[in-house]
Amino acid sequence: MILLTRFNGTQFYINAELIQTVEETPNTVVTLLDRTRFVVVEPAATVAERFVQYKQKINQPLHLEDHSGS
């Protein structure tokens, strides 16, 4: 999930896996695979950067703490 901001100032999380396109027209429009569209205040480059950060985070190996006491 990535955090975005609507023009009225409210923030929301969007499932990054569902993003089809991000374009500036001149406002940034995020279109999902089901054609749902969101107009957000963040520039397209920021949305793309957050998407990359999201992908990097979910592709990191899971580190479980060892609580076995050994």
Side-chain angles (χ1 to χ4, degrees):
M1 304 288 270
I2 60 174
L3 182 64
L4 297 175
T5 310
R6 292 183 178 95
F7 270 92
N8 68 4
T10 61
Q11 293 187 316
F12 66 104
Y13 286 92
I14 193 167
N15 183 341
E17 300 290 337
L18 299 179
I19 295 174
Q20 181 176 26
T21 61
V22 178
E23 56 188 320
E24 291 184 9
T25 64
N27 296 323
T28 305
V29 180
V30 178
T31 304
L32 304 183
L33 293 172
D34 68 357
R35 307 280 190 225
T36 302
R37 301 176 84 177
F38 297 95
V39 180
V40 297
V41 300
E42 291 83 1
T46 300
V47 177
E49 181 180 309
R50 289 180 186 173
F51 176 81
V52 169
Q53 291 171 347
Y54 160 79
K55 291 298 276 187
Q56 289 172 338
K57 185 175 180 179
I58 66 166
N59 288 323
Q60 290 180 354
L62 181 61
H63 298 286
L64 299 176
E65 294 182 28
D66 182 7
H67 294 287
S68 63
S70 49

